[in-house]
Amino acid sequence: MFVLFITIATVSHGQVRKRYRKSALQLSLVSGVSTNGIHPAWYFNKFSFNIFSGTSAGVKHFEISGISSATLSFSTGIQIAGIANVVGTNTFVNLKISDEREVMKEELNEPLMHGIQLSGLINLVRGNVFGAQISGGLNIAYGAMYGTQWAGFGNVVNEDFRGVQLAGIYNVASRSVAGIQLSLLGNITRGPMTGIQLGMFNSSRRMMGKNTNPKTSARSMQIGLFNSSRTMAGTQIGLINKAKEMSGTQIGLINFFSTRPAKRASKSGTPIGILNFGSTGSFTRFSYNDQFQYNLERSTGNCANCSDTQYQLPLNDDFQRFNQNSLIVSYNPTERQKEHGYWAMGWRFEKLLYRNYTPVPMKSGPQNGAYFLAWGMGNQHINWTDQIDTNLSELTSLQATYGRRVKFLASFYLYVTARINTYFYKDTTYKLSPIMVLYENDSSNLKYMSWLGYTIGIQV
């Protein structure tokens, strides 16, 4: 078979061509037995055909091997092997120490592989790669990779990666990613990420986005069951999202983000989820509306423009801006249940603006947070018995709210909300009876009605 040398792979293409002999064609049975004699590693071939395995200084256009090919220096063109392709096994063979240092100094970043590698099990390049690596098992680039890697098991790039990684299990790009990482299990980079990570588990050190400081046109996204980034200015979509410093958008069931206020003159992100840990501006509401007599909601979210001052008030904006996610539970007493539903649970996303007068609250005169404006959208599943109704019974609402702070024993907000409600249903056994119906369609399989509604309540 072939021998793998454990020397760091770096190459100067000009010097390689000078110190190696040239050959138009090499035919070999196994490594060391070929048409170039018993020292095939001295020859740089245009074409190489190896029945079992082959060794050469390099290949310019095309190489095919039944089992494996080992290239001591660099390769261009296409390499095909039944099991493995290895490029850069020892680029410093036959060189003095002084020559090795000169090669490393002058041509450190030239690619060892510039072309396409195809193998049944593994492709390995001990340096930079420009092109494509496709294998049934692993693709490994010890340097940077510019191109694409497709593997049945995994792809690994030890430095920067630019392009597309597709793998059955995992993708790793140690220094940075600009492109796409797609795998069934996980995608990892220990540096900045631009592009998309799509897998069950996605991890990066820094996700670029519109709120990145300094400004950049780069964008990033993670889509998976669990997404993690130390600094996140892009978009995370998943079951669980985690960011230590979040100035992007999180969409998931559970979101984790930093509780620290944003840096001055910077923007904080938007968490959209059922549970949001790291929340600021949370509130509890008790209300009455046209549909349910008793409503309780609890919010979690964050401030989008709070500063790092003592009171976290924005320095240049007239309003504090909050992004809030509310869990809602509603209930009707017996006399209202037949026409308005028994009970309901749901969720709403809402943006709130609290009036800001001065970074330092005043003892008299206009006060910060004297009133708030809000708008949002939510959905509740209406149940007509004490059990959860499995039929379609969804109440969707668009709403706008005005709240005013009052003091009576304690400080709280009185608020009023205008709503546009749309109810989607299939079962005509139970039907809502709103007063101000705008439109109704009960002739198709998917039935719905729209009407104007209201809410009045207190917020603490």
Side-chain angles (χ1 to χ4, degrees):
M1 296 298 178
F2 57 90
V3 179
L4 297 182
F5 298 90
I6 313 300
T7 304
I8 297 175
T10 316
V11 64
S12 170
H13 294 182
Q15 294 192 33
V16 166
R17 292 189 177 95
K18 290 180 181 179
R19 72 176 187 265
Y20 289 121
R21 299 175 183 178
K22 294 182 179 180
S23 172
L25 175 65
Q26 173 180 270
L27 302 175
S28 68
L29 179 64
V30 294
S31 298
V33 180
S34 72
T35 55
N36 288 332
I38 61 174
H39 299 292
W42 283 91
Y43 290 86
F44 194 88
N45 308 301
K46 290 185 178 180
F47 299 92
S48 182
F49 298 91
N50 312 307
I51 296 177
F52 294 107
S53 60
T55 301
S56 65
V59 178
K60 184 176 182 180
H61 296 303
F62 181 79
E63 181 176 24
I64 185 169
S65 303
I67 297 178
S68 62
S69 63
T71 301
L72 272 68
S73 186
F74 75 97
S75 179
T76 61
I78 300 175
Q79 275 190 322
I80 302 175
I83 295 180
N85 292 306
V86 181
V87 174
T89 58
N90 194 337
T91 63
F92 303 125
V93 66
N94 301 324
L95 289 182
K96 298 178 181 179
I97 295 178
S98 59
D99 294 333
E100 292 181 12
R101 291 174 178 171
E102 191 65 24
V103 169
M104 295 179 67
K105 179 180 178 181
E106 292 183 1
E107 304 290 347
L108 182 63
N109 293 319
E110 287 198 22
L112 293 188
M113 179 65 200
H114 200 148
I116 301 173
Q117 286 184 314
L118 302 168
S119 72
L121 184 60
I122 185 170
N123 294 309
L124 187 149
V125 177
R126 297 180 62 83
N128 297 339
V129 180
F130 288 3
Q133 291 182 309
I134 302 173
S135 77
L138 291 170
N139 294 310
I140 301 174
Y142 278 33
M145 173 78 190
Y146 298 84
T148 184
Q149 288 181 317
W150 297 359
F153 190 79
N155 298 303
V156 178
V157 176
N158 284 351
E159 295 184 8
D160 300 311
F161 173 74
R162 303 290 182 270
V164 178
Q165 284 183 317
L166 303 176
I169 304 299
Y170 69 90
N171 295 305
V172 176
S174 295
R175 185 173 292 179
S176 69
V177 169
I180 298 173
Q181 288 184 310
L182 173 62
S183 71
L184 293 179
L185 182 60
N187 304 295
I188 299 173
T189 179
R190 299 182 182 92
M193 192 272 285
T194 300
I196 299 175
Q197 288 182 322
L198 179 59
M200 292 181 64
F201 172 85
N202 301 299
S203 176
S204 70
R205 184 173 181 83
R206 185 184 186 194
M207 293 178 63
M208 312 299 285
K210 65 178 182 179
N211 291 330
T212 298
N213 193 9
K215 290 290 186 180
T216 177
S217 60
R219 298 293 183 266
S220 60
M221 178 180 290
Q222 292 178 328
I223 303 175
L225 295 181
F226 180 80
N227 302 306
S228 176
S229 182
R230 181 180 178 86
T231 303
M232 202 284 288
T235 302
Q236 292 178 323
I237 302 175
L239 187 67
I240 300 175
N241 301 307
K242 181 178 182 296
K244 190 168 185 179
E245 297 179 14
M246 193 269 286
S247 59
T249 301
Q250 292 179 317
I251 303 174
L253 179 65
I254 302 175
N255 299 312
F256 295 89
F257 51 91
S258 174
T259 58
R260 294 176 297 177
K263 297 297 182 183
R264 199 170 301 190
S266 69
K267 302 291 185 181
S268 294
T270 302
I272 302 175
I274 303 299
L275 298 174
N276 302 279
F277 295 92
S279 298
T280 56
S282 298
F283 57 77
T284 301
R285 286 176 178 171
F286 305 92
S287 65
Y288 171 94
N289 62 41
D290 61 295
Q291 191 59 44
F292 286 95
Q293 185 166 326
Y294 305 109
N295 300 275
L296 170 65
E297 60 182 279
R298 176 62 183 172
S299 82
T300 56
N302 80 321
C303 180
N305 66 340
C306 289
S307 67
D308 58 353
T309 60
Q310 179 181 359
Y311 299 101
Q312 300 185 21
L313 297 174
L315 302 179
N316 301 315
D317 297 335
D318 291 334
F319 291 88
Q320 269 187 310
R321 297 194 301 273
F322 287 85
N323 303 301
Q324 296 296 316
N325 302 263
S326 296
L327 291 176
I328 311 166
V329 179
S330 303
Y331 171 76
N332 275 323
T334 304
E335 62 271 14
R336 290 173 56 92
Q337 291 173 5
K338 290 184 178 180
E339 294 183 348
H340 299 282
Y342 190 165
W343 63 284
M345 289 192 65
W347 168 88
R348 177 172 58 248
F349 178 77
E350 195 171 25
K351 284 186 172 290
L352 287 86
L353 277 65
Y354 290 89
R355 186 68 172 95
N356 173 40
Y357 286 97
T358 171
V360 180
M362 302 170 63
K363 293 183 178 180
S364 62
Q367 294 293 308
N368 291 306
Y371 67 88
F372 73 85
L373 304 173
W375 61 91
M377 178 178 181
N379 183 81
Q380 285 183 286
H381 180 76
I382 297 179
N383 303 280
W384 294 89
T385 66
D386 57 354
Q387 303 295 318
I388 296 178
D389 191 347
T390 58
N391 294 320
L392 180 66
S393 182
E394 306 301 322
L395 176 63
T396 299
S397 301
L398 292 172
Q399 64 181 53
T401 302
Y402 172 81
R404 188 77 185 184
R405 189 172 63 189
V406 297
K407 287 187 177 181
F408 180 74
L409 301 179
S411 178
F412 58 91
Y413 289 91
L414 290 176
Y415 71 90
V416 59
T417 299
R419 305 168 61 188
I420 299 177
N421 299 314
T422 302
Y423 178 56
F424 297 91
Y425 63 101
K426 284 188 177 181
D427 188 357
T428 57
T429 304
Y430 303 104
K431 185 178 178 180
L432 298 179
S433 301
I435 298 176
M436 303 175 64
V437 177
L438 300 177
Y439 184 79
E440 182 175 3
N441 178 12
D442 58 1
S443 60
S444 62
N445 187 36
L446 177 61
K447 302 172 177 59
Y448 59 91
M449 63 172 63
S450 298
W451 71 94
L452 296 177
Y454 65 90
T455 300
I456 55 175
I458 63 173
Q459 173 180 307
V460 293

